[in-house]
Amino acid sequence: MGNIGVILMLVLIGGGLLWLFIRALRGREVDRRVVFAFILVSVALPLLLTITFEMKPTPVVEALYDRIDSLPSGSRILISFDFDPPMAPEVQPMADVITRHVLAKGHKAIFMTLWATGQSQFNVTLQDVIRADFPEKVEGVDWVNLGYKAGNEGVLNVIRTDFKKMFPTDVNTIPWDSIPILRGIRSCSDFELVISVGGGKPGVKEWVLFVGDPTGVPTAGGVAAVVAPMLYPYYPRQMCGILGGIKAAAEYEDHFRKNYPVFSDMKTPALVMMGPQTVAHVVILAFIVIGNVLFFVARRKEVRR
Amino acid sequence: MKHKLKLILVLLLFIWGTAAAQSDTAPGDAAIAAPSIPPPAPVTNLQATDTDNDHGHAITLTWEKSTDDGAGANAVVAYDVWRWYPLEMDVVDSLRQDLAATRDAVRAFRIDLPRAERALEELQEDAAKLNTTRFRVAVPDVPGFTLTVDYALSKLADTIAYMRDNRPILMSRIKPEQQELAQALERLTQAHAAFPQNGEWRTIGKALAGATSFTNTGSKDQTSSDFFPDYSDLYYRVEAVTIDPAVRSEAVQVGPVQSKGQWFHTGKIPVVLFVVMFLVFTVTFVQLAKKGTDLYVRPLSGIEAVDDAIGRATEMGRPILYLLGIGVATEVNTIASFSILGRVAKRVAEFQTPIIVPCYDPIVMAVAQEVVKSSFLDAGRSDDYRQESVFFVTNYQFAYVAAVNGIMLRERPATNIYMGKFMAESLLLAETGTLAGSIQIAGTDEIAQIPFFIVSCDYTLIGEELYAASAYLGREPVLLGSLKAQDWAKAVIMVCALMGMVATALGWPAFAHFFQVTG
Amino acid sequence: MSRASIVVLVLVCVAFAASWVVRAGANEGDAAVRDAFLVTLAAFLTLAIFSFMYRDNPYYKFAEHLFVGVSAAYWMCMGFWSTIVGNLVPRISESLSDFFQVPYSGGGLDFGLFYFSYRYFYLIPIILGILLLMRLVPKAGWISRWPLAFIVGTFAGLNLVRYLQSDFIIQISASFVPLFVDWHGFGHFFSGLSLAANGQFVAMLSNLVVFLGVICGLIYFFFSKEHVGWFGGASRLGIWILMITFGASFGYTVMGRISLLVGRLTFLFGDWLGIIG
């Protein structure tokens, strides 16, 4: 049934592209709404047919995976949820799988956010990952949520040297000194790894500039695809790994569940999203090729005239 | 007799075992059963120095690894680090805890007293309403436990009286406790100097096998549990430990060493040098520009189109839409956009073309209003200035886009100028502008958005061309001078890159080492 | 309103109500009706925004204005609770901290004879904030320039060293790449020639691209000399490399946009229609 669906989809999209090409070649205008419809179909059909592809992790994704995996169990990792609902489709899967990896490896996870909306996004991870897959993990001992602090780079400037000054309590107003997982943490230098998940400002770049480079603590990021190209100059000297976009999230998910068989049946939203992503990209590539062919055909007609 | 001897032996063993367990000395000092593996070699060349380039309150220990590190039957797995603590530190800790407890109690009373008074009032009202005290009240947080009303009322009244009486007493204790703590802290320096009397060795951390350094840091906050005193003589010990924690090398001791903060961060010398270089370039070229020296700036195609675009808008009788982007007033790209807005607004005032400037940030709106107003003043058309032409929309990204798209489709501007910081909304705006039939000129330094502007706009200023445009248009000495200074800095970078490539190829690390910035 | 518009409006309302009822029936728990309403409302607002792709229409306008209004109100509330209550109140007043139930972080400087509380320092940003609001008073608007100048100057100073260190000096040192990697002569090079990612040839090629990209890109952005001759050639190469970079960045951005569309369709098919798991 799945294969019939794939064949039907290929016939529909391929046939449509051919019709589009012939129509444009004949000089008939193509309404932009037809293009919108193509994109809609190329995204909707793979979603409905649940088409997925295998992923091989790229070096920059594998670097972050290896870093988390190679840290001794019990290492303290700071994870900052710096995104909002518009970015969530791309970035939430990254946040979930990184959290899952960190807790599965037995590390201590300290969560915080520099975005007001980051708290609600963390609550999604709390429900779907921490409470669902790690019910035995104790808040305050294995993980803690410090909550949101307004101030953007100002917050980073302070926590670089004095974390408690900016976060005297956790999100449940439990004092810093009463939280076992935070004992011995004075500043960002006391973490083994800092991961920022987001895509705007303040985001990964600010973490690198204000925390990673001054303190030397290893910094990594999971970002929306739009922001990823700007972070590659920082790799590998200033960042130890980058997850750029939904593809990187899918690679991480696939790599993680292959290496941790106990999570082999975990939800993989990023992998599911890569199916429509791939088909849509093929359609866009086809549009670019068609557009360029038509451009050169039209230019040759002009020259002949 | 035999039994008596046995009893005495057991008692002696018990006493000895208890004494050994309570001993505060380093394990190496106690008499223990002979280890099955020989103790490893100790570390050598142990040095303790004040951690450089910090605010103080940190000491760095360095050593050469034990010769048994990572090899042999008695392989070293870790290095235990010990520090000598005067007993006065315990006094300080105890006083700190007392002060914190007193402060907490005062704070708790301040919160709980009004709550208790409110609870008492409500209970009295309920009793009065029901005209009886013959009912029970549930105790909060203790499920299934109830009290008679009379008892609850009397207990609440007693608690309130207790809090009212004791709060002033507790508050009066804070100052003396603070003074006691301050005096104890003053005695710490002398207590440290009294080594090895009146103190003991305590473990402060571990370094894994292979490590050759350890940094002992603490807090500068005197009321913190890990307060680390500056300007006090500190002593350290390092022991190499095997897989059997009882089997360890002899302790190597170092000290005294004092921690202190530094005024100058030597790790940032390259930053200082480059700042000075920029400063010299900028001041020099700004002075040259002010003197009227002709400073050449190559022409930019996007900027030459601005005047034509404004003319087009005037002919068509349609407004000009100017977007400053979604940056804040402190960002360089927004600041450059203000310069271009000033130039555009002056032209718009001269041609008497309407201008619409929807803003994302309230502070940007404030500055933009000033810029447009002064441009209209410069053009001699201050009466034509309308404050409502520069307005705040929202500072939520896609809501801003939705609103501006609506403006584009309703007002149908002839020219759209996008200058500043744009993120995901760039293509949404440019596409809608194309739909509305506007000529579009864009300039941004957001790398991710430049491709979208290039394909959808008529002219695009890429990256630094946005900053150059503001200098090119205005010809202001400060802007021109800055642009030239940046160009010279780029020349320095190119030379450094060339030299660095040659140095790396020839195996000269010193040049690359100079560019290592720490801290 | 035309008859067609009225018919469409009625159909939309009927569809909304039907969706609400069906979703409420499918949900479980006390909040079933409320959750069904929220999901239906989210779906309808999504479709209203999507309707812009056909053409501008009142449903799109309604969704747009609702979004603008709600977001403005949301951020105003967030700004108050996170900045005023989160950052200012705990530092200036114990009683206000109790009222808002945030922990008071007092402290001060003890000079023996008198105690100077840190809260007095925070009067300065309060005053600057009020001066910034003078923007709203036409005659006193000039006062707001002072706090603006403070904000611009402070951020420029704070960021100068950070950006110089991370975005300038460290990036320069990252361009110190050897053009000849593991060089042991031409014989060794040609005998081990391979296109493997970690091979010698690819390493040398990537170092060359990095080096040329940096130099030629900088030349393109050099404004003090006309781009003619060899300089113009290098500038041309620079803009080619820039355009290739922009193309790669464009591809990433397209991926990001498609991801958002997939996310929305996942919501519509999954949470709203229940077609996918």
Side-chain angles (χ1 to χ4, degrees):
Chain A
M1 190 63 188
N3 284 339
I4 295 173
V6 171
I7 293 166
L8 208 64
M9 181 189 76
L10 288 171
V11 164
L12 197 66
I13 292 174
L17 285 170
L18 193 62
W19 166 81
L20 194 75
F21 180 58
I22 294 168
R23 189 184 166 86
L25 214 53
R26 286 181 184 164
R28 302 233 189 106
E29 201 177 296
V30 176
D31 196 320
R32 61 177 50 228
R33 287 172 281 200
V34 170
V35 174
F36 296 153
F38 262 97
I39 296 296
L40 183 67
V41 165
S42 64
V43 169
L45 278 181
L47 207 54
L48 293 167
L49 298 169
T50 325
I51 296 172
T52 56
F53 298 93
E54 265 218 20
M55 294 282 146
K56 193 173 177 300
T58 43
V60 87
V61 170
E62 208 169 358
L64 176 56
Y65 181 94
D66 291 342
R67 176 65 68 140
I68 294 176
D69 227 38
S70 63
L71 285 171
S73 181
S75 297
R76 286 170 301 198
I77 298 180
L78 179 67
I79 304 175
S80 186
F81 278 57
D82 303 327
F83 60 100
D84 57 2
M87 260 188 270
E90 265 189 291
V91 173
Q92 189 76 54
M94 283 178 207
D96 288 351
V97 73
I98 287 172
T99 302
R100 202 174 262 121
H101 190 187
V102 164
L103 292 175
K105 191 74 183 128
H107 298 319
K108 307 289 184 191
I110 292 97
F111 300 101
M112 61 167 280
T113 173
L114 297 172
W115 285 48
T117 44
Q119 260 307 108
S120 54
Q121 300 312 127
F122 170 73
N123 288 338
V124 172
T125 302
L126 180 63
Q127 289 309 120
D128 294 348
V129 176
I130 302 176
R131 300 246 187 266
D133 294 346
F134 302 95
E136 74 284 2
K137 297 281 181 187
V138 178
E139 187 176 357
V141 175
D142 300 303
W143 65 273
V144 71
N145 177 18
L146 297 175
Y148 163 64
K149 254 303 176 249
N152 299 348
E153 295 96 323
V155 175
L156 297 176
N157 257 331
V158 175
I159 64 173
R160 187 175 68 238
T161 51
D162 191 342
F163 220 106
K164 186 177 161 188
K165 196 172 176 181
M166 210 65 216
F167 292 96
T169 68
D170 74 350
V171 74
N172 301 313
T173 67
I174 296 172
W176 176 281
D177 292 327
S178 306
I179 302 172
I181 194 178
L182 297 174
R183 276 192 204 127
I185 293 178
R186 208 168 298 105
S187 68
C188 285
S189 309
D190 297 320
F191 290 103
E192 274 72 52
L193 181 61
V194 169
I195 304 174
S196 169
V197 186
K201 189 179 190 305
V204 177
K205 185 181 165 96
E206 282 68 36
W207 277 97
V208 171
L209 260 58
F210 289 87
V211 172
D213 281 349
T215 61
V217 69
T219 309
V223 292
V226 171
V227 176
M230 289 192 298
L231 296 177
Y232 280 107
Y234 295 128
Y235 176 82
R237 277 182 176 224
Q238 291 155 285
M239 289 183 72
C240 59
I242 305 171
L243 264 58
I246 198 67
K247 178 154 192 313
E251 289 169 15
Y252 203 106
E253 277 181 355
D254 206 30
H255 196 51
F256 173 72
R257 69 175 183 171
K258 279 179 183 149
N259 287 296
Y260 286 79
V262 70
F263 293 105
S264 57
D265 57 350
M266 72 178 196
K267 277 195 188 149
T268 52
L271 271 170
V272 168
M273 282 171 77
M274 276 312 294
Q277 190 79 242
T278 308
V279 176
H281 281 211
V282 168
V283 168
I284 291 169
L285 276 169
F287 283 149
I288 293 170
V289 168
I290 291 171
N292 277 279
V293 166
L294 291 169
F295 172 76
F296 286 111
V297 163
R299 213 161 71 160
R300 218 164 63 171
K301 277 186 187 162
E302 277 287 323
V303 166
R304 276 200 199 137
R305 228 180 281 148
Chain B
M1 188 63 184
K2 241 188 192 174
H3 295 298
K4 265 191 186 170
L5 278 173
K6 267 192 189 167
L7 184 62
I8 291 166
L9 194 60
V10 166
L11 275 170
L12 280 170
L13 278 171
F14 172 76
I15 290 164
W16 170 80
T18 314
Q22 285 176 356
S23 167
D24 283 336
T25 57
D29 293 339
I32 51 173
S36 56
I37 49 177
V43 302
T44 52
N45 201 15
L46 174 65
Q47 290 177 13
T49 50
D50 171 40
T51 306
D52 214 0
N53 297 325
D54 65 355
H55 301 289
H57 313 284
I59 295 287
T60 299
L61 302 170
T62 54
W63 59 81
E64 282 173 21
K65 291 188 293 191
S66 161
T67 49
D68 294 316
D69 190 304
N74 58 347
V76 169
V77 299
Y79 296 97
D80 262 355
V81 182
W82 299 73
R83 187 176 125 195
W84 190 81
Y85 278 82
L87 296 174
E88 191 67 32
M89 288 285 278
D90 293 336
V91 171
V92 165
D93 208 40
S94 159
L95 289 172
R96 182 192 55 77
Q97 285 173 13
D98 288 344
L99 177 61
T102 307
R103 281 201 167 124
D104 285 344
V106 167
R107 203 171 298 134
F109 279 3
R110 195 184 50 250
I111 295 167
D112 291 339
L113 180 57
R115 280 188 194 161
E117 285 168 346
R118 263 198 309 274
L120 181 66
E121 258 180 55
E122 283 167 10
L123 198 54
Q124 283 169 340
E125 277 171 18
D126 289 339
K129 271 185 210 159
L130 294 167
N131 202 20
T132 178
T133 55
R134 286 173 58 194
F135 59 90
R136 300 182 77 89
V137 288
V139 175
D141 300 328
V142 186
F145 190 69
T146 59
L147 299 169
T148 60
V149 170
D150 282 337
Y151 187 72
L153 282 169
S154 76
K155 273 286 145 200
L156 267 173
D158 288 345
T159 307
I160 290 167
Y162 173 79
M163 284 197 275
R164 280 188 186 145
D165 292 339
N166 280 279
R167 192 166 170 232
I169 297 170
L170 282 172
M171 283 177 71
S172 66
R173 275 186 10 202
I174 291 179
K175 203 146 175 66
E177 283 179 6
Q178 277 176 331
Q179 282 168 347
E180 231 181 306
L181 178 62
Q183 283 161 6
L185 285 164
E186 277 169 25
R187 291 195 297 267
L188 262 186
T189 310
Q190 289 152 348
H192 274 97
F195 173 83
Q197 272 113 32
N198 299 326
E200 61 190 14
W201 289 96
R202 291 180 195 165
T203 180
I204 57 167
K206 261 185 183 9
L208 294 176
T212 54
S213 68
F214 178 87
T215 303
N216 177 210
T217 55
S219 171
K220 65 180 181 183
D221 182 3
Q222 290 180 342
T223 59
S224 168
S225 55
D226 63 348
F227 168 63
F228 192 111
D230 271 353
Y231 302 107
S232 294
D233 287 342
L234 302 171
Y235 295 85
Y236 291 89
R237 258 172 161 173
V238 175
E239 291 167 350
V241 183
T242 62
I243 195 129
D244 181 355
V247 178
R248 47 184 65 220
S249 69
E250 84 188 44
V252 179
Q253 188 174 305
V254 69
V257 60
Q258 293 189 352
S259 66
K260 57 182 185 287
Q262 281 75 45
W263 285 101
F264 187 79
H265 197 306
T266 53
K268 289 199 205 297
I269 285 177
V271 177
V272 166
L273 289 175
F274 275 100
V275 167
V276 167
M277 180 191 81
F278 268 129
L279 200 64
V280 166
F281 286 159
T282 307
V283 168
T284 307
F285 283 107
V286 166
Q287 291 304 315
L288 281 173
K290 279 181 179 169
K291 281 182 191 161
T293 312
D294 182 33
L295 297 173
Y296 173 77
V297 177
R298 70 172 171 87
L300 299 161
S301 54
I303 288 306
E304 281 165 354
V306 166
D307 282 347
D308 297 336
I310 295 171
R312 178 177 184 263
T314 311
E315 281 167 22
M316 293 170 80
R318 279 152 56 175
I320 287 170
L321 181 73
Y322 191 102
L323 299 180
L324 288 138
I326 63 167
V328 292
T330 52
E331 289 181 68
V332 188
N333 37 32
T334 312
I335 293 169
S337 184
F338 287 138
S339 299
I340 301 172
L341 172 63
R343 163 82 172 178
V344 168
K346 193 172 175 192
R347 276 277 188 261
V348 151
E350 286 165 4
F351 293 144
Q352 291 184 295
T353 314
I355 185 168
I356 305 169
V357 186
C359 297
Y360 176 84
D361 183 83
I363 296 178
V364 167
M365 180 204 74
V367 179
Q369 280 175 343
E370 285 295 321
V371 167
V372 172
K373 189 174 170 184
S374 50
S375 295
F376 270 70
L377 203 66
D378 288 345
R381 301 243 187 237
S382 55
D383 292 339
D384 291 341
Y385 169 66
R386 298 276 173 269
Q387 190 163 330
E388 56 270 17
S389 62
V390 183
F391 53 95
F392 172 73
V393 180
T394 174
N395 63 354
Y396 197 61
Q397 190 183 16
F398 291 102
Y400 175 72
V401 173
V404 173
N405 281 349
I407 292 169
M408 280 185 200
L409 292 171
R410 287 188 292 272
E411 303 294 331
R412 301 262 167 196
T415 304
N416 294 342
I417 302 177
Y418 313 105
M419 296 284 173
K421 177 179 174 172
F422 293 87
M423 301 292 269
E425 72 286 355
S426 57
L427 194 57
L428 292 166
L429 292 169
E431 270 291 297
T432 311
T434 309
L435 264 177
S438 313
I439 190 170
Q440 303 191 101
I441 303 169
T444 182
D445 59 355
E446 290 297 323
I447 300 167
Q449 310 311 320
I450 290 170
F452 295 120
F453 280 140
I454 287 174
V455 299
S456 56
C457 293
D458 298 282
Y459 297 94
T460 308
L461 298 174
I462 300 170
E464 210 196 331
E465 287 181 333
L466 173 66
Y467 312 135
S470 63
Y472 182 78
L473 283 176
R475 306 302 294 193
E476 284 174 29
V478 171
L479 291 176
L480 262 179
S482 309
L483 185 68
K484 299 301 281 186
Q486 284 170 52
D487 274 354
W488 273 65
K490 274 177 226 151
V492 167
I493 292 169
M494 283 189 259
V495 168
C496 286
L498 264 163
M499 286 171 63
M501 185 269 292
V502 167
T504 310
L506 293 174
W508 295 340
F511 187 78
H513 191 70
F514 170 76
F515 288 85
Q516 301 300 323
V517 181
T518 56
Chain C
M1 248 169 120
S2 69
R3 192 177 292 178
S5 310
I6 295 170
V7 167
V8 168
L9 180 61
V10 167
L11 282 172
V12 165
C13 294
V14 165
F16 188 101
S19 164
W20 187 1
V21 166
V22 167
R23 277 248 60 88
N27 287 351
E28 288 167 8
D30 297 333
V33 173
R34 182 200 69 190
D35 290 346
F37 174 76
L38 292 172
V39 167
T40 306
L41 181 66
F44 270 73
L45 288 173
T46 303
L47 293 173
I49 296 288
F50 278 162
S51 68
F52 183 76
M53 285 191 288
Y54 181 66
R55 63 172 185 200
D56 195 10
N57 60 82
Y59 300 99
Y60 166 77
K61 283 201 187 67
F62 168 73
E64 169 203 335
H65 288 106
L66 182 69
F67 190 29
V68 170
V70 168
S71 68
Y74 175 82
W75 283 107
M76 192 185 79
C77 292
M78 279 314 299
F80 175 76
W81 285 101
S82 61
T83 308
I84 307 285
V85 174
N87 279 347
L88 184 65
V89 162
R91 293 182 168 111
I92 57 163
S93 166
E94 259 184 287
S95 50
L96 272 178
S97 301
D98 290 341
F99 177 75
F100 286 110
Q101 295 186 6
V102 289
Y104 176 67
S105 53
L109 300 169
D110 197 342
F111 292 106
L113 285 176
F114 70 96
Y115 181 79
F116 189 83
S117 170
Y118 285 143
R119 71 173 74 169
Y120 298 116
F121 287 125
Y122 292 95
L123 287 176
I124 299 171
I126 292 173
I127 291 166
L128 288 175
I130 293 168
L131 290 181
L132 204 52
L133 287 173
M134 289 294 112
R135 186 76 225 150
L136 302 170
V137 180
K139 283 191 179 160
W142 62 271
I143 299 173
S144 66
R145 285 183 209 158
W146 288 97
L148 262 176
F150 181 83
I151 290 167
V152 171
T154 308
F155 271 87
L158 268 176
N159 289 346
L160 172 69
V161 175
R162 296 283 144 243
Y163 277 81
L164 209 57
Q165 178 176 335
S166 299
D167 278 0
F168 188 75
I169 293 170
I170 297 180
Q171 295 296 317
I172 294 174
S173 68
S175 68
F176 297 165
V177 289
L179 293 184
F180 295 97
V181 176
D182 295 332
W183 190 252
H184 298 292
F186 282 104
H188 177 263
F189 177 72
F190 283 113
S191 64
L193 192 64
S194 87
L195 290 174
N198 52 357
Q200 186 184 13
F201 175 66
V202 171
M204 283 171 55
L205 196 61
S206 63
N207 283 353
L208 185 68
V209 168
V210 165
F211 180 74
L212 278 180
V214 168
I215 298 291
C216 295
L218 283 170
I219 286 175
Y220 174 77
F221 288 110
F222 198 79
F223 299 103
S224 299
K225 188 180 178 328
E226 209 177 341
H227 290 181
V228 291
W230 67 269
F231 204 76
S235 167
R236 204 97 209 118
L237 182 61
I239 192 66
W240 271 89
I241 291 175
L242 280 167
M243 288 300 162
I244 292 169
T245 312
F246 293 146
S249 170
F250 185 96
Y252 256 112
T253 310
V254 165
M255 178 168 76
R257 303 288 186 263
I258 299 291
S259 301
L260 299 180
L261 176 62
V262 173
R264 276 292 88 197
L265 288 181
T266 306
F267 165 77
L268 288 172
F269 291 147
D271 295 325
W272 185 44
L273 296 173
I275 299 172
I276 56 175

